[in-house]
Amino acid sequence: MATLETHDPRFVDAILDWRWTALLARLALVGAYLLGGIVKLTDWPAAVAEQAHFGMQPAAMWAALTIAIELIGPILILSGRLVWLGAGMLGVFTLLAAVTANAFWAMPAGQERFMATNAFFEHLGLIGGFVLAALVAEHANRRRRA
């Protein structure tokens, strides 16, 4: 009976062991949020208008909360400190944003519904990424404490 090889190819090991891989992966996960927070912070009227567009009132309060989450969450994840908190913040934010902005179940059939459905499930994938980031960080913390 043939057995499957149980270890990664060398090039995969090299990539996973490279000292910058974890940071770059975390940056890829949170980069859009970090950029979004910076853009909103530098264009406050547009940030408020975006919240009003989605029916969030008072729009200025929701814009400020969105900016805080989009900046603090990524900083926590990138710093490796309180990753669970940053991942939780962004995960809950992403779920609420997906339900608010991509309510495909309330749309008639057609291209707009198709696009909203895809965006909704892409957001669920991001939430899974945040859970995995928190799990990886917790696993690393437990190994350090042991």
Side-chain angles (χ1 to χ4, degrees):
M1 174 185 271
T3 60
L4 293 176
E5 211 164 306
T6 58
H7 56 81
D8 299 327
R10 286 184 186 174
F11 78 94
V12 172
D13 283 337
I15 292 168
L16 295 177
D17 289 339
W18 186 49
R19 61 181 265 174
W20 296 104
T21 298
L23 178 62
L24 290 173
R26 291 191 313 265
L27 184 57
L29 180 62
V30 302
Y33 296 88
L34 191 57
L35 182 60
I38 292 167
V39 168
K40 288 173 183 72
L41 189 61
T42 59
D43 191 353
W44 177 251
V48 173
E50 178 184 47
Q51 298 304 314
H53 169 78
F54 289 113
M56 306 299 287
Q57 294 298 332
M61 181 200 72
W62 287 107
L65 184 60
T66 297
I67 291 167
I69 290 168
E70 288 186 331
L71 294 177
I72 295 168
I75 289 168
L76 293 174
I77 291 172
L78 290 171
S79 73
R81 306 268 190 226
L82 300 174
V83 173
W84 63 269
L85 180 58
M89 289 169 65
L90 291 173
V92 169
F93 172 79
T94 300
L95 180 61
L96 294 174
V99 169
T100 301
N102 299 302
F104 66 90
W105 54 88
M107 297 176 177
Q111 184 66 23
E112 186 178 354
R113 180 181 179 148
F114 176 81
M115 292 174 64
T117 302
N118 283 342
F120 181 85
F121 286 99
E122 288 170 356
H123 281 81
L124 290 184
L126 279 170
I127 294 167
F130 293 128
V131 172
L132 287 173
L135 287 169
V136 167
E138 180 58 25
H139 180 70
N141 286 337
R142 288 179 184 176
R143 284 184 30 206
R144 278 192 296 273
R145 288 190 301 256

